[in-house]
Amino acid sequence: MFEKLYSIVKENLEPHLNEVGQISTSAHEAIINEASGTIIDVLKAQIDNGKFNDLLVFFSVSSIQNTALVRSIASKYAIRLNKYYGVNMNTAKTFADKQMPVIMNKLIQTAKSNPKNANGMFAFFNKLSGYSINFETLFGKMPQLQLA
């Protein structure tokens, strides 16, 4: 699923990289990797902090826009764009706020389309947890949550 996340990020960011200012073409790949890494870091922190249910609910909705999790991802990405690539903070924030909801919506749609396959949410969560938790077993016993 990490490879799928990277392809979703690349597909959605690459056409818009000119919006972040004068960034060399050689830095484009790094900026795309930074976005993928930011998403992984924030989602992994959710798991590490025991917020499994919040994460599952987040991935089971039909569409997200301005949730706290997406705002957190966008904020961390903007900070990284500013710190590591010299992008003006206002520009970085505008760019991240615009792009991260699109990327996260596509990631959610991919992950929940078949939660048990290699690109599904359970495999993604298991990998984020370092395989210390079996999310399919954990959430497979929760009939109140329906995955679309």
Side-chain angles (χ1 to χ4, degrees):
M1 183 63 178
F2 287 177
E3 297 82 18
K4 187 64 177 173
L5 168 62
Y6 174 80
S7 84
I8 291 169
V9 169
K10 183 173 180 158
E11 172 185 307
N12 288 280
L13 283 189
E14 205 163 39
H16 303 283
L17 287 175
N18 62 335
E19 295 173 22
V20 294
Q22 296 296 325
I23 301 294
S24 71
T25 305
S26 62
H28 286 191
E29 194 71 22
I31 289 171
I32 292 167
N33 283 328
E34 200 69 56
S36 297
T38 301
I39 292 167
I40 290 168
D41 290 348
V42 171
L43 296 179
K44 184 175 179 345
Q46 288 287 109
I47 291 171
D48 292 346
N49 292 324
K51 296 181 179 180
F52 313 127
N53 289 333
D54 294 347
L55 199 55
L56 185 65
V57 169
F58 178 80
F59 270 80
S60 64
V61 298
S62 59
S63 178
I64 55 101
Q65 284 304 318
N66 196 18
T67 65
L69 190 58
V70 173
R71 284 191 310 269
S72 176
I73 292 168
S75 176
K76 287 182 187 307
Y77 184 52
I79 290 166
R80 289 178 181 186
L81 285 174
N82 174 258
K83 181 177 181 181
Y84 300 122
Y85 304 98
V87 177
N88 171 282
M89 192 58 186
N90 289 333
T91 302
K93 179 114 179 73
T94 299
F95 181 72
D97 287 346
K98 179 181 172 187
Q99 297 302 321
M100 283 304 161
V102 173
I103 291 168
M104 292 308 295
N105 273 319
K106 289 186 180 183
L107 178 63
I108 289 168
Q109 296 307 314
T110 299
K112 75 178 192 174
S113 64
N114 187 350
K116 296 181 182 182
N117 77 10
N119 287 326
M121 77 173 84
F122 294 131
F124 188 49
F125 295 163
N126 288 344
K127 193 167 186 176
L128 285 173
S129 76
Y131 299 99
S132 63
I133 302 167
N134 184 329
F135 283 89
E136 187 174 351
T137 302
L138 181 65
F139 291 111
K141 297 176 182 176
M142 297 177 68
Q144 70 273 21
L145 287 173
Q146 295 181 5
L147 302 175

